[in-house]
Amino acid sequence: MIPKLTLENSIQPVYRSFIESLSIAGFTGDIEHSYSSRLAVATDNSVYQWLPQAVVFPGNTEDVTLLMKLSQKPQYKKIHFSARGGGTGTNGQSLNNGIIVDLSRYMTRILELNIEESWAKVQAGIVKDQLNKALEPYGLFFSPELSTSNRATIGGMVNTDASGQGSLVYGKTSDHVLELVAVLEDGSRINCKTLSGSSLQAKLTQENREGEIYRQIWATSRNLRSEIEKTFPQLSRFLTGYDLKHTYNPERESLDLSRLICGSEGTLAFVTEIKLSLDRIPAYRQLVNVKYDSFQSALRNASVMLKAKALSVETVDSKVLDLARKDIIWHSVRNLITDVPGKEVMGLNIVEFAGNNKHQIMRKIEDLCQLLEEEMTHDRSGIVGYQVCKDLASVKAIYTMRKKAVGLLGSTSDRKKPVAFAEDTAVPPEHLADYILEFRALLDANNLSYGMFGHVDCGVLHVRPALDLCDPEQEITLRKISDQVVKLTTKYGGLMWGEHGRGFRSEYGPAFFGPTLFEELRKIKRAFDPHNRLNPGKICTPSGSTEKLVSVDAEKRGSFDRQISEMVRGSFRDAFNCNGNGLCFTFDTSSPMCPSFKQTGDRRHSPKGRAGLLREWLRQLETHNTNVLAEEMKLEQGNLMGFKSLINRTRNSIAKRKGDYDFSHEVMEVMQGCLSCKACTSQCPVKVDVSDFRARFMQLYYQRYLRPAQDYVVCNVENYAPLMAKIASVANFVMDQGWSKRIAKSTIGMVDLPLLSQPTLQKRLKNQPAARFDLTQLECLSSAERDKKVLIVQDPFTSYYDAAVTHDLVLLIEKLGFQPLLIPFMPNGKPKHIKGFLHSFKKTATQSSRYLNRLSELGIPMLGPDPAMVLCYRDEYAQILKDTRGPFKVLLLHEWLLSILPQRQPCLDMNKKFYLFAHCTEKTANPSTHEDWMRIFRHFGAELKPVSVGCCGMAGTYGHSAKNIRDSKGIYALSWQPALANLPEKQCLVSGYSCRSQVKRLDGKRLHHPLQALLRLLT
Ligand SMILES: Cc1cc2nc3c(=O)[nH]c(=O)nc-3n(C[C@H](O)[C@H](O)[C@H](O)COP(=O)(O)OP(=O)(O)OC[C@H]3O[C@@H](n4cnc5c(N)ncnc54)[C@H](O)[C@@H]3O)c2cc1C
Ligand code: SF4
Ligand code: SF4
């Protein structure tokens, strides 16, 4: 039995007292101090892990003011704070072991929008893509781009002065900040914008913290102007902390404090509101993908592209391209970056042209294409081919692939993982190719593997060398390489932190700025934050203090992970593979990953949150000398669930009910919030499979605690559904009574349980050939006879709760000229897997696969109507049975339909139109789902338009659990409800049983399976 996990790491008394006072002082946001909440913000996308004491989620600027005012009390003077947005920093910028102030949960509003003057005032926690989505109808956008645009906040972008693709034209975040509101360390609120003349004089004479700040900056900016001009590198990228170069304008004698706060990494103030200048969305965007024989050729050729007046040039190396080829993302770009016969594409330049004059853009593209043709004719520049993307959808698809590239670098089965520590160096673009040659030599000399890509137009290179930071020796390598990269960038007139900020690399600041200028930075820090309380140790410490800067050697995630045995790490590899890049935090409601995070806004309830919690849980078990694999083995052998275990579990559950703490309860709460939709399994760049480790965790947890009755009800649905169908009218009558619904809710915690289909499938198919399955007879058929047959693998949900669909499937197969046969119902086991009854699931999977393997020898295609259940045979079966699964294949319906299309004449009459709402497990596991269905419908004479939606919120039985009902409805409201509201009901088709039942219960609409629409087209 797993032990109870009490925590070694409790909150320091002063912090406990502070957060208690905060909650009574009228703080309107959330205050969290559970271990799981703290862990959720203990990492970002860097190699570091720092556990804070608490996390607070302010609701507005007043909350931040209150927080800092309270912190002025003498007893709280030692407390420190770090602001946090999306937590996508690559160098630990937002990590701190004090209090994390997360502005991303509630401070997400657009406060004011002025279309005529093209500006917006926003709260700091709004995500960049979220803002742009709201601006799109007005033809405006916030132009600085970054790869994490679907999860990074404007507050984070301001504080790292973020920029990326297109920065030569659109500039950096700081170029767009017109004004901002900030809360200072003493709790005062300041408005920052360009000031000169009397308004500046007024500030300079103020007798308060703001006045001190103005006086210090005024003195530094003017007195050290030449030093500043000399030291700050001549790059289009700005170095974070502090932008003295642009804060003061000598011609206008003006100061702009917002410019100084941009890029200050949360070390000067909390930014709560920002007024941003906006750009017009260019009417035309086109892009040329230029293919090269090497990365070096691509780099050297980039300047030619720029001369062609491109908006941006992005370069990707062969390693990144190869990883993209293996990912679901390739599906969307494979026709845009096709192979070149007889050549290997080893580098790619993505060259974008954008503007409002279509003619001009076309001409630029034509000129470039002509140039490329000439180069290719003369075999110059290593160009092996090119392709033009003419429509916006293709342009966006290419950038989505490019944005996912960093994450893709992490998808390796090796123990060494690409890590961020020198990943955003910047040198003048003209030196980039030579610089990279040396950089590569440095990495090669240390036997490190790596992939590279970057914004070559401004000399920024992204590279993540692969290291195993569970090995202390490799931590030393990280430090060594880090130091050498600093030297190398200096040699080429660039800098190490060229795009993503300084964070734990702050120790390199003094050498870079030199003693005089660095001391001035420290004076500025002192003016803002005299006691070093805001993100301490980053950028610089206050002048006169003896506090230390953070260092590259700071505590890393590896030092926690390595406490777990290698075997366990290997077995739970998914949880360790998560590199924290945060793609699972995407705000995009039409993306399937991750419904539980989108609904709750709680980062614990995301793949990253769950992976982090599981790692810590394994570490805690290890410190309690528990071998989790041995525990699993005992369970598999059935050794642990006897009478004695029942007594123990009862005792432990009583203690739990009385409030006895066990860290496993926190992990359980977060695992229970997961819908097991499996979107992360394919959408996460490193394919973190939460549903798998969640099931394993649950199994072990319930070795110590009693399971709720609901789990047994769900787990046995495949046993009782066929029995209940025999007395469907009686069963439905009972289930439909108010008292029985109340009993179901109070005893098993389930609501809105579906009624059985009437007439039942058995009645519908009575005396029909499809119901006369006889294996012996099938085995005697000739191969020509077998060619006519199709076997239907039933699932409990479609057959017993949506029997019309299975019946229509039979009719459709017949209409298509085949003879369908219904395989007698046999359990699939998926409900057991979802609830973590893995031992029992394995038994079911063994029996089913044995039978299905036997059937597959007939050579007759087998297919199933429900995608999630069919895919379970492929995924969960392979995981649990490994080699013993056997070769049987159950096809998704559209896979079979595609296979028979060549035998049928296409219908040319396209006068019908349908909309497809595909199941998320299906479209994420099988990226061609939409295209396949579209092809099928086209063949049958109808147009099918896929609708971009996320999860429906039902996910098997998740939506029927009383405690999930609010979240289930919330998830439905995110994308399904609005999408369905605007479309004609009769034309909407839904492939998943769960989704159809969710639509029926929440919108009262009975939508059809695509197969039913096809059947109507044929009759
Ligand atoms: C895969 C990947 C790709 C990336 N690509 C790019 C890129 O193309 N261009 C680029 O510029 N960056 C890039 N980054 C880095 C990162 O996304 C940016 O730095 C981003 O701006 C951080 O935003 P965030 O909301 O996640 O901030 P966080 O990481 O939460 O915080 C970043 C810093 O800002 C401070 N901060 C956050 N909010 C506030 C606030 N309201 N007030 C005061 N301080 C605050 C924090 O204390 C911290 O110091 C990438 C990161 C990853 C993981
Ligand atoms: S779970 Fe996947 S998408 Fe989420 S942070 Fe981890 S690696 Fe990134
Ligand atoms: S299975 Fe679905 S709900 Fe669970 S973590 Fe993955 S994406 Fe989120």
Side-chain angles (χ1 to χ4, degrees):
M1 177 165 61
I2 56 164
K4 182 168 107 173
L5 302 175
T6 45
L7 291 176
E8 59 209 49
N9 227 324
S10 60
I11 305 171
Q12 292 168 21
V14 62
Y15 280 91
R16 191 173 284 283
S17 153
F18 179 76
I19 51 178
E20 279 166 7
S21 307
L22 187 64
S23 71
I24 26 187
F27 188 80
T28 66
D30 297 342
I31 301 168
E32 293 181 6
H33 54 84
S34 68
Y35 196 55
S36 53
S37 295
R38 293 156 65 201
L39 267 174
V41 290
T43 54
D44 55 1
N45 184 225
S46 69
V47 293
Y48 302 97
Q49 178 166 331
W50 280 34
L51 188 72
Q53 300 291 311
V55 200
V56 297
F57 302 87
N60 46 40
T61 303
E62 288 66 39
D63 271 349
V64 184
T65 310
L66 177 73
L67 180 82
M68 297 317 294
K69 283 222 151 72
L70 180 68
S71 82
Q72 299 307 305
K73 289 196 173 175
Q75 67 268 36
Y76 301 138
K77 275 286 190 187
K78 289 234 172 320
I79 290 183
H80 44 252
F81 304 86
S82 287
R84 187 169 168 117
T88 63
T90 54
N91 294 287
Q93 287 92 334
S94 61
L95 308 185
N96 167 11
N97 41 30
I99 290 182
I100 302 295
V101 183
D102 187 334
L103 293 101
S104 69
R105 188 176 285 178
Y106 297 119
M107 296 186 62
T108 58
R109 284 194 301 132
I110 299 179
L111 301 169
E112 217 180 324
L113 176 60
N114 189 319
I115 318 276
E116 288 74 41
E117 295 172 17
S118 299
W119 57 260
K121 191 167 179 197
V122 300
Q123 288 184 311
I126 192 169
V127 167
K128 165 173 152 132
D129 280 0
Q130 187 181 1
L131 169 63
N132 279 349
K133 193 174 175 200
L135 295 174
E136 200 176 348
Y138 307 102
L140 294 170
F141 80 125
F142 173 56
S143 59
E145 183 56 304
L146 77 175
S147 298
T148 45
S149 59
N150 59 13
R151 54 218 194 259
T153 62
I154 298 293
M157 288 183 74
V158 166
N159 275 277
T160 55
D161 200 3
S163 63
Q165 182 257 331
S167 69
L168 281 188
V169 174
Y170 294 130
K172 307 168 292 270
T173 301
S174 56
D175 297 322
H176 295 261
V177 174
L178 301 172
E179 290 176 31
L180 56 79
V181 174
V183 175
L184 299 177
E185 183 270 336
D186 66 357
S188 56
R189 170 192 163 135
I190 57 168
N191 287 356
C192 310
K193 59 178 175 184
T194 308
L195 294 179
S196 58
S198 58
S199 46
L200 177 60
Q201 276 311 313
K203 291 284 179 199
L204 288 167
T205 51
Q206 266 177 215
E207 281 307 317
N208 58 8
R209 180 72 62 88
E210 191 182 11
E212 280 167 42
I213 291 170
Y214 270 93
R215 284 189 288 280
Q216 180 61 57
I217 298 168
W218 185 245
T220 302
S221 311
R222 286 159 56 94
N223 300 345
L224 281 100
R225 191 70 203 160
S226 62
E227 188 79 16
I228 292 166
E229 298 278 1
K230 199 169 75 206
T231 311
F232 280 56
Q234 300 299 317
L235 294 168
S236 63
R237 285 290 201 269
F238 167 65
L239 67 169
T240 51
Y242 304 122
D243 188 359
L244 288 167
K245 193 167 166 182
H246 298 101
T247 302
Y248 169 63
N249 183 331
E251 276 126 51
R252 296 177 54 204
E253 289 275 288
S254 64
L255 273 191
D256 184 358
L257 223 60
S258 63
R259 208 59 210 227
L260 192 89
I261 289 175
C262 282
S264 63
E265 299 188 14
T267 59
L268 299 182
F270 291 96
V271 175
T272 58
E273 294 166 18
I274 309 118
K275 182 175 169 186
L276 298 164
S277 71
L278 308 171
D279 286 296
R280 295 246 138 241
I281 299 175
Y284 303 100
R285 286 177 74 184
Q286 293 202 359
L287 180 149
V288 188
N289 290 317
V290 191
K291 304 165 195 180
Y292 296 86
D293 60 1
S294 74
F295 184 51
Q296 208 61 20
S297 301
L299 288 171
R300 292 212 184 272
N301 201 228
S303 56
V304 178
M305 311 287 131
L306 281 174
K307 278 191 203 124
K309 300 245 173 337
L311 167 81
S312 67
V313 184
E314 302 271 300
T315 304
V316 177
D317 82 352
S318 58
K319 176 144 188 181
V320 174
L321 276 177
D322 284 347
L323 285 166
R325 277 194 183 97
K326 291 181 201 138
D327 188 78
I328 188 170
I329 197 83
W330 194 251
H331 188 78
S332 57
V333 296
R334 65 178 179 198
N335 296 328
L336 310 172
I337 316 173
T338 52
D339 289 339
V340 181
K343 307 264 177 175
E344 234 183 315
V345 180
M346 302 295 283
L348 183 75
N349 271 338
I350 303 167
V351 189
E352 184 182 339
F353 296 87
N356 293 327
N357 185 329
K358 188 176 181 182
H359 186 67
Q360 226 173 46
I361 295 202
M362 304 269 280
R363 220 188 33 240
K364 282 185 195 171
I365 297 247
E366 273 163 26
D367 289 350
L368 177 62
C369 293
Q370 204 177 339
L371 180 88
L372 293 171
E373 287 291 347
E374 268 171 42
E375 294 290 281
M376 280 169 28
T377 314
H378 297 100
D379 214 4
R380 286 195 301 244
S381 309
I383 300 167
V384 296
Y386 68 91
Q387 269 174 278
V388 183
C389 298
K390 292 190 172 154
D391 60 297
L392 190 61
S394 307
V395 172
K396 285 188 174 169
I398 290 287
Y399 283 127
T400 307
M401 182 277 287
R402 155 65 187 84
K403 284 181 178 185
K404 204 175 180 187
V406 182
L408 290 176
L409 286 171
S411 57
T412 152
S413 52
D414 204 314
R415 257 186 291 155
K416 291 184 179 174
K417 302 284 174 208
V419 288
F421 64 98
E423 68 152 14
D424 55 335
T425 58
V427 297
E430 60 276 18
H431 299 318
L432 187 62
D434 294 326
Y435 161 73
I436 287 179
L437 269 184
E438 272 200 67
F439 197 161
R440 286 192 147 190
L442 168 65
L443 299 175
D444 293 343
N446 284 279
N447 291 323
L448 298 176
S449 69
Y450 51 88
M452 284 186 171
F453 59 95
H455 317 291
V456 282
D457 48 10
C458 39
V460 174
L461 174 73
H462 292 306
V463 56
R464 291 191 170 195
L467 291 168
D468 174 13
L469 292 177
C470 286
D471 173 2
E473 286 296 313
Q474 300 203 23
E475 249 192 77
I476 299 170
T477 309
L478 184 150
R479 143 69 66 189
K480 195 174 86 183
I481 304 282
S482 204
D483 290 346
Q484 287 171 341
V485 171
V486 172
K487 282 196 192 125
L488 192 61
T489 48
T490 313
K491 175 179 162 188
Y492 282 95
L495 83 163
M496 190 200 205
W497 58 95
E499 190 174 89
H500 298 173
R502 242 187 286 177
F504 282 89
R505 302 181 291 188
S506 293
E507 62 166 292
Y508 296 119
F512 179 83
F513 290 99
T516 314
L517 205 48
F518 196 70
E519 180 52 24
E520 291 300 312
L521 299 185
R522 297 188 70 198
K523 285 182 191 163
I524 289 171
K525 169 77 174 170
R526 183 180 59 191
F528 275 94
D529 180 22
H531 307 293
N532 200 26
R533 305 178 70 197
L534 302 184
N535 217 3
K538 316 275 169 61
I539 309 277
C540 63
T541 54
S543 173
S545 87
T546 51
E547 307 258 5
K548 296 246 175 329
L549 284 171
V550 287
S551 147
V552 168
D553 299 325
E555 187 155 53
K556 302 192 177 57
R557 197 183 109 184
S559 61
F560 296 94
D561 289 357
R562 77 173 70 113
Q563 294 172 32
I564 303 161
S565 75
E566 219 175 302
M567 290 272 281
V568 173
R569 271 188 268 142
S571 177
F572 285 88
R573 124 174 8 99
D574 279 335
F576 291 87
N577 281 350
C578 169
N579 62 25
N581 70 73
L583 186 61
C584 49
F585 298 148
T586 174
F587 105 97
D588 181 1
T589 49
S590 66
S591 148
M593 180 170 71
C594 158
S596 57
F597 168 67
K598 284 202 185 91
Q599 165 58 17
T600 58
D602 183 335
R603 295 191 195 271
R604 288 175 300 168
H605 287 274
S606 68
K608 175 176 171 174
R610 295 186 173 111
L613 269 177
L614 191 89
R615 286 196 304 274
E616 178 60 13
W617 182 71
L618 293 170
R619 192 185 73 85
Q620 297 261 351
L621 285 178
E622 203 97 15
T623 57
H624 283 73
N625 296 321
T626 301
N627 184 332
V628 78
L629 301 181
E631 292 298 321
E632 283 189 320
M633 187 62 79
K634 285 187 221 159
L635 271 173
E636 192 165 341
Q637 291 160 354
N639 289 352
L640 288 170
M641 287 308 196
F643 183 67
K644 200 169 150 212
S645 150
L646 180 66
I647 303 279
N648 283 334
R649 283 183 287 141
T650 309
R651 196 183 304 129
N652 295 336
S653 299
I654 293 170
K656 175 183 168 186
R657 202 166 297 165
K658 287 184 179 158
D660 198 23
Y661 180 79
D662 180 348
F663 174 56
S664 299
H665 299 328
E666 289 198 51
V667 184
M668 187 52 157
E669 189 202 327
V670 168
M671 296 299 175
Q672 277 177 331
C674 166
L675 288 85
S676 260
C677 68
K678 291 183 81 76
C680 46
T681 315
S682 54
Q683 300 278 301
C684 154
V686 300
K687 321 223 172 338
V688 167
D689 184 350
V690 173
S691 136
D692 175 48
F693 65 64
R694 169 188 183 272
R696 290 175 71 182
F697 166 81
M698 283 186 156
Q699 172 176 253
L700 287 160
Y701 178 88
Y702 287 125
Q703 183 203 338
R704 187 177 173 85
Y705 298 99
L706 291 173
R707 275 185 178 273
Q710 185 188 98
D711 283 20
Y712 295 101
V713 173
V714 171
C715 150
N716 286 306
V717 61
E718 297 190 284
N719 299 330
Y720 61 73
L723 298 176
M724 279 169 58
K726 290 188 198 301
I727 47 158
S729 48
V730 179
N732 281 351
F733 175 78
V734 174
M735 279 169 52
D736 211 18
Q737 303 304 310
W739 55 264
S740 117
K741 290 179 186 171
R742 283 193 295 278
I743 291 178
K745 189 172 177 187
S746 59
T747 54
I748 53 170
M750 296 191 84
V751 290
D752 304 334
L753 290 173
L755 298 181
L756 293 149
S757 296
Q758 281 184 291
T760 60
L761 185 61
Q762 208 184 7
K763 283 205 178 119
R764 287 168 199 255
L765 292 177
K766 201 168 177 192
N767 299 329
Q768 301 220 11
R772 285 186 225 123
F773 177 89
D774 183 334
L775 181 54
T776 337
Q777 221 174 48
L778 282 175
E779 281 170 337
C780 298
L781 294 180
S782 68
S783 78
E785 286 168 320
R786 285 183 202 176
D787 281 351
K788 285 268 149 219
K789 307 270 182 212
V790 175
L791 299 179
I792 299 174
V793 182
Q794 300 187 64
D795 68 82
F797 304 111
T798 323
S799 282
Y800 298 111
Y801 296 94
D802 211 354
V805 171
T806 313
H807 185 205
D808 284 346
L809 176 58
V810 167
L811 298 179
L812 175 70
I813 296 172
E814 284 171 352
K815 271 266 172 258
L816 292 168
F818 293 85
Q819 298 159 4
L821 271 173
L822 217 56
I823 302 173
F825 176 76
M826 77 194 144
N828 164 297
K830 189 169 170 86
K832 293 182 179 171
H833 186 275
I834 287 180
K835 290 291 179 186
F837 288 93
L838 290 183
H839 182 44
S840 176
F841 173 63
K842 191 170 182 182
K843 271 194 191 158
T844 306
T846 307
Q847 280 163 10
S848 296
S849 56
R850 200 172 292 146
Y851 189 55
L852 289 167
N853 275 316
R854 187 169 163 205
L855 290 181
S856 76
E857 283 168 18
L858 294 167
I860 302 174
M862 295 191 279
L863 58 89
D866 189 72
M869 299 302 273
V870 169
L871 290 167
C872 178
Y873 291 122
R874 297 188 193 171
D875 198 4
E876 284 91 335
Y877 272 42
Q879 262 167 0
I880 200 128
L881 299 179
K882 305 204 165 56
D883 294 345
T884 62
R885 179 196 176 275
F888 78 87
K889 188 160 188 191
V890 181
L891 297 170
L892 293 161
L893 176 59
H894 69 262
E895 290 173 334
W896 178 73
L897 287 168
L898 274 183
S899 73
I900 61 150
L901 283 193
Q903 301 165 28
R904 294 187 58 87
Q905 281 297 323
C907 170
L908 299 174
D909 176 18
M910 293 280 282
N911 61 4
K912 290 244 162 47
K913 185 169 181 178
F914 294 98
Y915 299 91
L916 175 66
F917 291 71
H919 192 287
C920 35
T921 308
E922 176 187 26
K923 66 189 176 202
T924 53
N926 197 334
S928 63
T929 296
H930 283 157
E931 277 173 33
D932 293 347
W933 276 116
M934 282 160 75
R935 239 183 90 195
I936 294 162
F937 270 70
R938 210 177 302 128
H939 203 90
F940 286 96
E943 187 191 342
L944 183 73
K945 206 169 171 303
V947 184
S948 261
V949 279
C951 176
C952 72
M954 177 54 84
T957 53
Y958 170 92
H960 288 304
S961 178
K963 68 177 175 3
N964 296 335
I965 190 79
R966 197 182 49 129
D967 287 339
S968 172
K969 287 181 178 171
I971 294 169
Y972 183 73
L974 286 174
S975 63
W976 278 69
Q977 203 157 39
L980 281 168
N982 294 323
L983 294 171
E985 185 179 331
K986 291 219 163 356
Q987 284 158 260
C988 294
L989 307 175
V990 179
S991 59
Y993 165 78
S994 299
C995 323
R996 287 194 301 278
S997 72
Q998 179 78 321
V999 176
K1000 188 168 133 197
R1001 108 170 150 160
L1002 297 183
D1003 263 339
K1005 296 178 181 171
R1006 287 171 180 270
L1007 301 185
H1008 281 142
H1009 190 290
L1011 74 89
Q1012 296 176 295
L1014 287 179
L1015 181 63
R1016 269 182 293 162
L1017 285 172
L1018 288 175
T1019 38

